[in-house]
Amino acid sequence: MKLIPTILCGGAGSRLWPVSRELHPKPFIRLGDGQSLLQKAWLRGAALPDVVETLTVTNRELFFKTEDEYREVADIVGGKDLTNRFILEPFGRNTAPAIAAATLQVAATQGEDACLLVLAADHLIADQAAFAQAVSKAMQLAAQGRLVTFGIQPDMPETGYGYIEVDLDSPVPFVGGPAGESAGFPVARFVEKPDLEKALEYLASGRHLWNSGMFCFQAGTMLREMQQHCPEILAASRACLEQSRTAEGKSFSQVDLDATAFKLVPDDSIDYAVMEKSSNVAVVPCSIGWSDIGSWTALGALTAPDARGNRIEGEVTLHDVSNCCIHSNQRMVGAVGVNDLIIIDTPDAVLIADRSRAQDVKHIYARLKAEGHKTYRLHSTVHRPWGTYTVLEEGRHFKIKRIEVKPGASISLQMHHHRSEHWVVVSGMARVVNGQQELFVNTNESTYIPAGHKHRLENPGLLNLVMIEVQSGEYLGEDDIVRFDDVYGRS
């Protein structure tokens, strides 16, 4: 049976602000080993047997960033010739529409017998061998026509997770496994996040598992269940796919969902739309070192504590400090005489919070978003399909950026109404269109682009092109741009 790891990459990760932003959500956060949560999710699926392609459902604005993430770690599974397929959403629409689109796409390209393994891009699983064994069990259950979810064996009375009540009296045998071992159990019911008293009761019962939000099913099974329980989501998703653009390459496939049609797809989670209504759901209990990294305390726990319980990432100097989580990748952080704090430093925002209030960081994110403050959406370093730019300084009528262009990449042929630009190359060589001129600008050379001039920047070399851009004018917003020709399909 073909297995298609299907990664859902989205969300804001508001509880991990200020490192997580709308256009740099939680899946892109790097851990201590240098890999992002998204890269770990892709590798986790790609390493399984019988996988010939992966499918990622993500926001259109995160597509090129996601491609870069996969490209960085592709050599780790270099023995596999994998195709990476993408479904690009114009905006978030919850998990049921995402899974409906993914299932329809897999059924059309691989057949209804193909098995989807739905993974969240922002979870961590420490035990790959145990995960692979759990997937093997799930595939057996899926082959029997069941919708399968993965239940995590609880080790504490957690009130932040939903629970799954298991029918322990009806185990399903694990064919090929040790005698008496089960592949899984029927689900008795799904339970919402409990209060502490209920969570203690669930932990003691032995019949309740944490709901991991991971699923496994054959495409045909999910389509039939959706037709029964949420036909409007399935029909609207099918209509949207029929109106959407598709691009094919040597090792990738991309479906760009039509925004007008996608807006008509009802917003709902897969749990509410299908899993809680179906009588055909099984669960695989597993202990796989799972965490949803749902707060700074959870992320900090991945770092070994010092002698006073501090968990530190970056350059930090402490005096009489204990039980703090401190994260800084660029600036020196000093702390004196404090306890039980979260201190997160980024170039344009700092978070200071009581460790016991880690879940409440989302309220800061929500307020910034409501006020339209740029720090909810972007970092000072912004990723683009062609590379990155970093705002170094800005003031009234001027802005200074560091621009880095990937080898072979170029910005669109464009024009600005309200600003002029001065480009200074500090590393590499640039091919520049400036009005009617086309010229090469070498290291320590520059060119001036007046407002109203069509211009394009390209890196023809093999190494990254680095330049400083000085903007001046009455208006310096990123929306002052007219694109005439863009290889990345942006308007």
Side-chain angles (χ1 to χ4, degrees), residues 238-399:
R238 181 178 282 114
C240 180
L241 280 172
E242 290 171 352
Q243 298 175 52
S244 300
R245 293 180 301 167
T246 300
E248 298 281 349
K250 182 179 180 182
S251 59
F252 83 98
S253 171
Q254 168 189 340
V255 177
D256 203 342
L257 295 180
D258 180 80
T260 302
F262 193 58
K263 199 170 185 177
L264 300 176
V265 183
D267 184 320
D268 204 354
S269 73
I270 194 67
D271 286 321
Y272 288 142
V274 178
M275 304 301 285
E276 295 183 9
K277 297 176 181 177
S278 175
S279 60
N280 191 33
V281 183
V283 61
V284 176
C286 47
S287 297
I288 53 179
W290 174 88
S291 171
D292 74 342
I293 314 294
S295 69
W296 277 112
T297 51
L299 188 59
L302 302 178
T303 302
D306 66 12
R308 300 196 60 176
N310 299 301
R311 299 176 186 272
I312 306 300
E313 182 176 330
E315 191 175 8
V316 176
T317 299
L318 306 178
H319 176 72
D320 192 23
V321 172
S322 61
N323 298 320
C324 287
C325 173
I326 305 177
H327 174 107
S328 177
N329 285 334
Q330 294 195 17
R331 296 186 290 197
M332 160 67 74
V333 172
V336 178
V338 295
N339 306 295
D340 300 312
L341 289 183
I342 298 167
I343 303 172
I344 312 298
D345 180 59
T346 69
D348 62 346
V350 178
L351 169 71
I352 302 171
D354 188 299
R355 281 189 62 180
S356 67
R357 304 287 297 277
Q359 296 289 335
D360 291 340
V361 173
K362 63 187 178 184
H363 298 302
I364 298 293
Y365 177 94
R367 180 172 296 182
L368 291 170
K369 184 172 183 178
E371 294 172 354
H373 198 284
K374 63 182 180 182
T375 53
Y376 91 89
R377 180 171 171 81
L378 296 168
H379 281 280
S380 57
T381 294
V382 178
H383 291 258
R384 289 289 185 255
W386 43 261
T388 63
Y389 72 79
T390 303
V391 177
L392 302 177
E393 187 176 353
E394 59 182 309
R396 191 166 183 263
H397 302 325
F398 81 92
K399 184 184 292 186

Side-chain angles (χ1 to χ4, degrees), residues 17 251 419 440:
W17 184 88
S251 59
R419 71 175 186 252
F440 287 93

Side-chain angles (χ1 to χ4, degrees), residues 8 95 99 118-120 123 149-152 164 210-215 270-271 290:
L8 306 185
T95 53
I99 289 175
V118 178
L119 305 173
H123 292 179
T149 186
F150 295 81
I152 307 301
I164 300 169
W210 291 336
N211 187 353
S212 71
M214 300 186 298
F215 309 100
I270 194 67
D271 286 321
W290 174 88

Side-chain angles (χ1 to χ4, degrees), residues 151-156 185 203 206 208-210 284-288:
I152 307 301
Q153 298 281 3
D155 56 8
M156 59 183 291
F185 300 87
L203 183 64
H208 291 81
L209 305 168
W210 291 336
V284 176
C286 47
S287 297
I288 53 179

